[in-house]
């Protein structure tokens, strides 16, 4: 069973309500949870699933609606390695990459935190660079072209740079 819920509160409710996820966990049941939660939240969910005889794979994703629709998500996983191996075909259908970060639930969330930090730093650098270029009277289209053609070229720059230039 795959889950991708929006908040820790929603996850807790869906797992614990009467007739919820935990009520359906029996020996051998495999859960792959793709939510982005705190590492300790994932560990708590995993422990409760294991107590009922199930297996748990934490699998937060990098990517938004467009990559999801195109099967281009990136899955960062941790937890039950056999569940990871048995989920390979489904993860491949939904994403372009999946990595197994280890057996300790929480490691995948920590990986996502690191990835998001780098993306945030890149977005900040793009916005600061474009703001400076604008203040200096440079053509933002030319700045974008130079960045897109050099070492800084990236999908993030190609997507967000023009939007930032338009404010």
């Amino acid at each position: 069973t795959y889950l991708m819920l929006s908040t820790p509160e929603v996850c807790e409710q869906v797992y614990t309500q009467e007739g919820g996820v935990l009520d359906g966990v029996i020996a051998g049941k495999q859960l792959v949870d793709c939510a982005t939660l705190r590492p300790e939240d994932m560990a708590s969910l995993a422990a409760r699933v294991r107590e009922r005889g199930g297996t748990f794979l934490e699998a937060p994703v990098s990517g938004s609606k467009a990559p999801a629709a195109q099967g281009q998500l990136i899955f960062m996983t941790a937890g039950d390695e056999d569940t990871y191996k048995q989920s390979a075909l489904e993860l491949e259908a939904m994403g372009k990459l999946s990595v197994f970060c280890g057996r300790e639930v929480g490691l995948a969330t920590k990986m996502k935190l690191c990835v998001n930090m780098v993306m945030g730093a890149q977005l900040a650098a793009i916005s600061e660079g474009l703001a400076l270029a604008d203040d200096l009277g440079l053509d933002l289209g030319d700045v974008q072209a130079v960045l897109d053609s050099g070492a800084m070229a990236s999908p993030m720059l190609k997507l967000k740079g023009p939007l930032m230039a338009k404010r």
Side-chain angles (χ1 to χ4, degrees), residues 145-158:
V146 170
L147 289 171
D148 281 341
S149 299
M152 285 303 301
S154 71
M156 180 74 73
L157 175 65
K158 187 176 256 5

Side-chain angles (χ1 to χ4, degrees), residues 64 66-67 123 126 144 148 154-164:
S64 58
L123 282 170
I126 294 167
Q144 182 76 35
D148 281 341
S154 71
M156 180 74 73
L157 175 65
K158 187 176 256 5
L159 175 69
K160 299 294 187 179
L163 295 173
M164 288 181 186

Side-chain angles (χ1 to χ4, degrees), residues 2 67-75 87-98:
Y2 286 81
Q70 299 164 358
Q72 296 294 301
L73 294 172
I74 299 168
F75 290 88
S87 301
L89 290 177
E90 290 91 353
L91 295 175
E92 186 178 313
M94 294 184 283
K96 63 181 177 181
L97 177 69
S98 65

Side-chain angles (χ1 to χ4, degrees), residues 95-113:
K96 63 181 177 181
L97 177 69
S98 65
V99 296
F100 185 71
C101 300
R103 293 177 185 262
E104 179 187 328
V105 172
L107 287 173
T109 298
K110 292 173 183 178
M111 171 74 83
K112 181 166 181 178
L113 176 64

